[in-house]
Amino acid sequence: MKILESSLVNKVELPLQLNISFKKIFNLFEKYTDVAYKTHPLHSSSIEMVKMFDKNPALNDGFSDYSLLEKYKEEINLLLAPLFPEPLLLNEIKAASVPFSFTSFKFTDRFQNILDNAGDDYEFTVRNFEDESTYILACTFILSFVYGYNIDVKRPFYFDIPDKTTGTMKYYRAAFNGDFSEIIPTENAPTVTKECFRELLNSFDNIDLWKKKFPPNSYIFKGFGIINLFDVTSEEMLSSIKANLLESDDNVIFKLQNNLRDFYAIKNLKLGYSIFDNLNEKLCETIVNKSNSIILNNKEEINCSSNYFCDDIIQKVFKDHQTFVISDLEEYGKKTDKNLFYHNLYDGGIQSIILIPIKASKNGDLALLEIASPNAYDLNSVNINKLKDIIPVFEAAVKRTSEERQNVLEATIQENYTSIHNSVKWRFYEAAERYHTESQTNENAKLDEIVFKDVYPLFGQSDIKGSSEARNTAIKEDLITQLSLAISVLKDACKTEKLPIYSELMYRVSTFLKDVKEDLNAGDEINILDFLQREIYPVFNHIKEINTALSKKVDIYMNRLDKDLNVVYEKRKDYEKSVNLINEKLSKYIDKKQKDAQKMYPHYFERYKTDGVEFNMYIGESITKKNSFDVIYLYNLRLWQLQTMCEMENIAYSLTDTMPNNLRVASLVLVHSNPMAIKFRMDEKQFDVDGAYNIRYEIIKKRIDKAHIKNTKERITQPGKIAIIYSQDKDALEYVKYINFLQSKKQLGTIEFLELEDLQGVSGLKALRVAVIYQKNFDEKKSITLKDLIKQIEA
């Protein structure tokens, strides 16, 4: 007889002295020894059992020394035989047990097999056992048995038992039968009155009170219990899968995979999923999102028209949204002539797989749940039915995840691709709400026009100076490199094969090279590349076949070409890196500064990347939805703008040593004193000035950076200087104060007072141009604070 003694026996303090006794069994046998039961089938056997008890009084009286279980194992096996009928030994998971210690003995065969498969290092312990509450639980046991006070504190106990044969975990719920036990108070047991019982009901967490009413070892437990285990692996896995799907952490696939391994008892089971986009238009052509996908095997996209999947999968999974199972990959390979899908699974060590399609969203996204095994027939059309209760849980999770993903995409679009700034979003919601309400009763309901009146505009620009010239120079240098490489190949070919065609081609390439060095005109690049593609590359293919040396020479040429554009793209790539670096740094900086500026007073802001950065701001009472605007907020924002432009100049200047190209920025501020109206253009999805008079402001914005100083050829915008364009003298006086403040902070230098040449349709513009003092080791974190700006405005 196997005896499983728990490690809790000597650790847990209890109000009970635990004694194993079979007195209740003895009483039952003694009953059938009476002459009244002479004809009963149990009469003669009961007489023999009673004799056995008489020879071994400890079985009746009880014992706390668990080693005696081994001594009396034959007698115990015999007297418990009626409770463990032989036909049920391979079916029931049952054992005799001592409560609160979980020491068990006399196991059914099935229980014994489960423990044997758990391994030698397994300890039979309860998953949700809490030492601190066991004492109180024993007290409630006494209240019920001795005093008849029933308190329902029953909780199901669970055992997690590994199965070494499958490498998985099995889960069991325990039920305890205490009919074969009794509890006897000792002389140290205080009487528990009804008042005591009520006091205890209000003091569950007061362990000292419970120990006062039920001192340790003040009661004697005599008997044993019967513990029955029920396999609840499926229920536990369903619950665990639900919990894991709700967590949405990075390890969710790993956790779910372990759940399904236990569920199917397949230790090497794999779980993956992929999401297919736009199924209604382009059937499974592009995977937009995948994680741990089994069927893709690191592919970013698959094309169904290339026979990746068989027709059955296309029809059942992607069109009919039905579950599909491959129980034997080799059989599948024979039927499909070992298509690409077969090879993908074979290379991944998969021999059986279940594909479960789940419609993820209303726009046609389809999630594909992939459950796979390295063994044929582990997964099949029969055990697929075990998933019926799990699939709805995955469906709910996939739909939730799809909706969350959709919300993230919409938020990203809202933030990055539209002009609905947070400061004006309230007005769009107001218009949408009004439209929704009106459309309930009026099918011709129209959206409101979004107009903000009496707002002051601010425009700023940090433009990369000479960007067009730098771009053209980069194109020119790349073409010179490419043509020179082509000439080098043709020269070596002439030495090997004395063909006149090589000389003729080399002459034409040299002519192109000479023209490019002298001047690069519009269309030259296209003509040169077309010539190389049409006449040079076919010759290069021939040259590669002549000998190894020439082949390597052609490879050198080809390796210098950009793989996507098929041209030398080295200097242009350096130029683009430089432009992108400036744009990214300046954009991130002004976006960060804007968050602080919004705290001063809410205003509309939009930024654009060109060859540099430009931005518009509008401030006024109509934007804020509050009657709180004062012109001081406009002054404050103007000073903030100028100070930010100084800092952006410093950032751009600090990048010159890290850029492949030495590019500089020239900054400009446009001042406009009169309030105007702006309107959201539905067709362009952006704000624009409203009214014919205000269009003059837009014209100036588009043309001002190309303007010259009056009677000169010098442009108003120059590297190292900030140009402040204005038309009214009062604006100049205002900005001179700001400049003086920033001069005191050693950020700006000397001021120039300038007039500008007339632009088409615009005249009378003037400018302040002030030099920027570049800070050594400029630290954007130590820039002038908002408090400094506000103090300056209020001074």
Side-chain angles (χ1 to χ4, degrees):
M1 179 177 70
K2 185 179 179 69
I3 301 168
L4 203 60
E5 188 170 337
S6 172
S7 60
L8 298 172
V9 171
N10 298 316
K11 290 182 180 179
V12 180
E13 186 180 41
L14 293 170
L16 296 166
Q17 302 174 38
L18 300 177
N19 288 278
I20 298 175
S21 169
F22 301 95
K23 184 178 180 180
K24 291 286 183 81
I25 298 292
F26 169 77
N27 292 339
L28 183 64
F29 286 129
E30 188 179 42
K31 168 186 171 183
Y32 285 105
T33 61
D34 191 278
V35 293
Y37 294 96
K38 188 175 181 179
T39 60
H40 195 282
L42 292 178
H43 178 69
S44 58
S45 60
S46 294
I47 292 173
E48 295 301 320
M49 295 301 289
V50 169
K51 287 179 181 179
M52 186 185 70
F53 272 101
D54 291 340
K55 291 179 183 179
N56 304 284
L59 295 176
N60 203 346
D61 297 337
F63 53 87
S64 59
D65 182 2
Y66 291 171
S67 66
L68 294 179
L69 287 169
E70 181 65 27
K71 177 181 178 180
Y72 296 118
K73 63 181 180 180
E74 292 183 5
E75 289 83 358
I76 293 172
N77 272 331
L78 189 60
L79 64 90
L80 290 183
L83 299 177
F84 290 79
E86 188 171 351
L88 299 178
L89 291 179
L90 288 172
N91 181 272
E92 292 184 332
I93 311 172
K94 185 164 68 173
S97 181
V98 181
F100 307 111
S101 75
F102 297 103
T103 295
S104 301
F105 53 96
K106 183 57 179 175
F107 297 85
T108 61
D109 292 350
R110 183 180 176 190
F111 204 154
Q112 187 65 58
N113 292 335
I114 290 171
L115 294 175
D116 290 343
N117 290 336
D120 295 334
D121 56 343
Y122 172 70
E123 183 179 356
F124 189 59
T125 55
V126 182
R127 180 210 306 167
N128 54 333
F129 185 80
E130 299 170 355
D131 291 357
E132 61 274 11
S133 63
T134 303
Y135 196 99
I136 296 175
L137 188 63
C139 293
T140 62
F141 198 61
I142 295 169
L143 282 171
S144 177
F145 265 79
V146 178
Y147 300 103
Y149 298 130
N150 291 317
I151 303 178
D152 187 7
V153 291
K154 293 179 182 177
R155 291 173 56 207
F157 289 115
Y158 293 91
F159 292 87
D160 302 343
I161 305 177
D163 187 343
K164 297 291 185 180
T165 61
T166 63
T168 59
M169 186 74 72
K170 304 292 283 185
Y171 303 89
Y172 301 90
R173 185 180 70 248
F176 187 81
N177 184 336
D179 292 344
F180 302 97
S181 59
E182 60 180 333
I183 297 177
I184 305 166
T186 68
E187 59 184 14
N188 296 324
T191 302
V192 179
T193 64
K194 197 165 188 177
E195 287 72 21
C196 294
F197 174 64
R198 289 173 178 170
E199 184 181 5
L200 292 168
L201 287 178
N202 294 319
S203 309
F204 181 80
D205 295 325
N206 188 348
I207 187 64
D208 293 333
L209 178 63
W210 287 89
K211 286 187 176 182
K212 179 181 177 182
K213 303 297 183 183
F214 303 93
N217 300 316
S218 58
Y219 292 81
I220 298 172
F221 171 88
K222 287 184 66 174
F224 66 94
I226 296 293
I227 184 171
N228 284 274
L229 299 188
F230 301 92
D231 190 338
V232 292
T233 301
S234 294
E235 293 88 335
E236 279 286 294
M237 288 306 96
L238 183 60
S239 176
S240 183
I241 286 169
K242 288 180 180 179
N244 287 331
L245 286 171
L246 288 173
E247 284 184 9
S248 300
D249 64 18
D250 293 337
N251 296 319
V252 66
I253 282 291
F254 177 75
K255 291 179 179 179
L256 293 173
Q257 180 173 269
N258 285 338
N259 291 153
L260 288 172
R261 284 178 175 179
D262 292 341
F263 184 73
Y264 269 111
I266 302 173
K267 65 179 179 180
N268 294 323
L269 181 142
K270 294 182 180 180
L271 173 68
Y273 79 90
S274 49
I275 297 179
F276 292 74
D277 195 15
N278 294 328
L279 289 173
N280 293 328
E281 297 177 7
K282 297 180 179 179
L283 181 60
C284 63
E285 183 172 330
T286 305
I287 288 81
V288 295
N289 185 22
K290 67 184 184 67
S291 174
N292 201 36
S293 176
I294 298 168
I295 67 171
L296 299 181
N297 197 16
N298 297 321
K299 286 182 171 59
E300 291 298 330
E301 64 177 38
I302 54 177
N303 194 320
C304 295
S305 61
S306 63
N307 297 320
Y308 183 81
F309 291 120
C310 66
D311 292 341
D312 282 348
I313 291 180
I314 295 294
Q315 184 62 44
K316 290 186 178 180
V317 174
F318 292 103
K319 293 184 178 180
D320 299 338
H321 299 169
Q322 295 178 4
T323 300
F324 190 89
V325 60
I326 298 173
S327 56
D328 184 350
L329 183 66
E330 295 307 319
E331 285 296 320
Y332 174 82
K334 291 176 183 177
K335 294 177 182 177
T336 60
D337 196 23
K338 295 188 176 181
N339 62 3
L340 292 174
F341 185 49
Y342 163 85
H343 284 290
N344 210 359
L345 295 181
Y346 182 84
D347 293 342
I350 303 302
Q351 285 297 314
S352 58
I353 188 169
I354 298 173
L355 303 177
I356 306 170
I358 300 172
K359 196 169 183 181
S361 62
K362 294 179 181 178
N363 64 2
D365 288 1
L366 189 77
L368 200 58
L369 195 66
E370 311 153 11
I371 304 173
S373 169
N375 304 313
Y377 295 103
D378 269 358
L379 301 169
N380 51 68
S381 63
V382 176
N383 63 18
I384 196 175
N385 288 283
K386 291 181 66 174
L387 294 170
K388 284 186 176 179
D389 294 326
I390 292 179
I391 290 176
V393 179
F394 276 102
E395 286 177 344
V398 165
K399 287 178 181 178
R400 188 193 75 242
T401 302
S402 178
E403 289 172 1
E404 289 174 354
R405 174 173 166 266
Q406 195 67 26
N407 291 338
V408 169
L409 292 177
E410 289 178 3
T412 302
I413 293 169
Q414 180 80 357
E415 180 179 349
N416 296 287
Y417 299 106
T418 70
S419 299
I420 304 177
H421 188 260
N422 283 336
S423 62
V424 296
K425 194 177 289 184
W426 65 269
R427 182 64 185 89
F428 286 85
Y429 279 117
E430 188 177 80
E433 184 67 33
R434 185 179 289 114
Y435 172 77
H436 176 73
T437 302
E438 187 178 344
S439 64
Q440 304 299 312
T441 56
N442 179 10
E443 61 180 16
N444 296 318
K446 295 182 179 179
L447 283 166
D448 290 349
E449 286 189 338
I450 307 295
V451 178
F452 294 100
K453 297 181 179 180
D454 297 324
V455 295
Y456 292 89
L458 295 90
F459 174 74
Q461 174 182 287
S462 289
D463 187 48
I464 297 175
K465 198 68 176 175
S467 59
S468 298
E469 292 85 347
R471 184 186 296 108
N472 288 337
T473 299
I475 295 171
K476 186 174 180 179
E477 290 179 358
D478 281 340
L479 285 174
I480 289 172
T481 298
Q482 189 166 351
L483 292 171
S484 299
L485 288 169
I487 291 172
S488 178
V489 175
L490 291 170
K491 278 183 178 179
D492 285 1
C494 285
K495 296 175 183 177
T496 305
E497 279 190 315
K498 305 297 183 181
L499 298 180
I501 189 64
Y502 294 153
S503 299
E504 191 272 337
L505 288 173
M506 192 161 54
Y507 166 75
R508 292 168 67 187
V509 175
S510 299
T511 302
F512 276 123
L513 180 59
K514 179 183 176 184
D515 292 343
V516 169
K517 286 181 177 179
E518 290 178 356
D519 191 21
L520 183 66
N521 299 312
D524 285 353
E525 182 184 10
I526 295 174
N527 292 334
I528 291 170
L529 296 177
D530 180 64
F531 164 72
L532 292 171
Q533 188 75 36
R534 189 180 65 255
E535 300 196 37
I536 299 297
Y537 292 166
V539 174
F540 279 7
N541 290 333
H542 165 72
I543 290 173
K544 288 185 71 173
E545 303 299 326
I546 297 175
N547 60 47
T548 304
L550 284 176
S551 179
K552 288 181 178 179
K553 197 79 175 179
V554 174
D555 288 341
I556 291 172
Y557 174 89
M558 291 298 179
N559 289 335
R560 291 289 292 272
L561 305 184
D562 183 88
K563 292 180 180 179
D564 296 324
L565 302 174
N566 207 31
V567 297
V568 172
Y569 206 75
E570 297 166 351
K571 297 298 182 181
R572 276 171 285 189
K573 188 174 289 185
D574 288 343
Y575 166 78
E576 288 176 357
K577 284 181 180 178
S578 300
V579 171
N580 290 337
L581 181 62
I582 292 175
N583 282 347
E584 289 300 319
K585 288 287 186 180
L586 296 186
S587 298
K588 286 182 179 179
Y589 185 73
I590 195 169
D591 288 347
K592 179 182 176 183
K593 295 284 286 186
Q594 249 298 299
K595 293 178 181 178
D596 292 333
Q598 292 292 338
K599 296 175 184 176
M600 296 188 292
Y601 192 85
H603 56 277
Y604 180 80
F605 172 82
E606 60 183 359
R607 170 188 55 75
Y608 305 98
K609 287 182 187 177
T610 52
D611 281 351
V613 173
E614 64 180 51
F615 58 93
N616 291 309
M617 296 186 290
Y618 299 98
I619 186 171
E621 193 170 287
S622 62
I623 287 177
T624 64
K625 201 183 178 180
K626 297 177 182 177
N627 298 322
S628 60
F629 179 74
D630 188 279
V631 72
I632 193 171
Y633 295 118
L634 171 62
Y635 299 153
N636 200 65
L637 195 59
R638 284 175 172 174
L639 175 55
W640 172 89
Q641 180 190 27
L642 182 58
Q643 183 244 337
T644 300
M645 298 292 282
C646 290
E647 293 166 359
M648 291 170 66
E649 278 276 350
N650 272 276
I651 290 171
Y653 185 75
S654 68
L655 297 174
T656 52
D657 293 335
T658 61
M659 291 186 295
N661 287 56
N662 187 10
L663 301 177
R664 297 286 303 278
V665 299
S667 299
L668 175 147
V669 171
L670 177 60
V671 185
H672 189 83
S673 295
N674 299 322
M676 60 175 60
I678 57 173
K679 181 179 180 180
F680 187 77
R681 307 292 180 186
M682 295 295 291
D683 52 345
E684 299 176 4
K685 295 293 184 290
Q686 65 179 22
F687 278 99
D688 202 353
V689 296
D690 192 33
Y693 174 77
N694 296 324
I695 291 177
R696 179 178 182 270
Y697 174 76
E698 288 295 325
I699 293 173
I700 296 174
K701 275 190 351 184
K702 287 179 172 63
R703 299 175 182 174
I704 193 60
D705 65 321
K706 302 294 191 296
H708 292 95
I709 298 172
K710 198 167 187 177
N711 299 323
T712 72
K713 296 296 182 181
E714 182 185 348
R715 282 194 178 179
I716 187 62
T717 54
Q718 293 295 329
K721 297 181 179 182
I722 298 175
I724 303 167
I725 313 300
Y726 66 94
S727 57
Q728 298 184 31
D729 290 341
K730 65 174 183 175
D731 295 330
L733 294 174
E734 178 188 340
Y735 273 87
V736 166
K737 291 193 300 182
Y738 304 154
I739 292 170
N740 290 338
F741 169 66
L742 295 174
Q743 285 173 331
S744 72
K745 299 293 183 180
K746 308 298 183 185
Q747 290 196 5
L748 293 178
T750 56
I751 309 175
E752 299 174 81
F753 294 84
L754 306 169
E755 293 184 23
L756 303 186
E757 67 177 7
D758 292 343
L759 303 175
Q760 184 178 356
V762 181
S763 60
L765 292 178
K766 302 176 183 179
L768 300 173
R769 193 166 69 177
V770 57
V772 177
I773 299 176
Y774 293 116
Q775 311 296 315
K776 188 177 181 180
N777 300 321
F778 173 73
D779 186 354
E780 60 187 61
K781 295 180 180 178
K782 296 180 180 179
S783 58
I784 298 175
T785 65
L786 285 176
K787 289 183 179 179
D788 293 333
L789 296 178
I790 293 171
K791 285 180 182 178
Q792 176 63 24
I793 291 295
E794 293 176 346

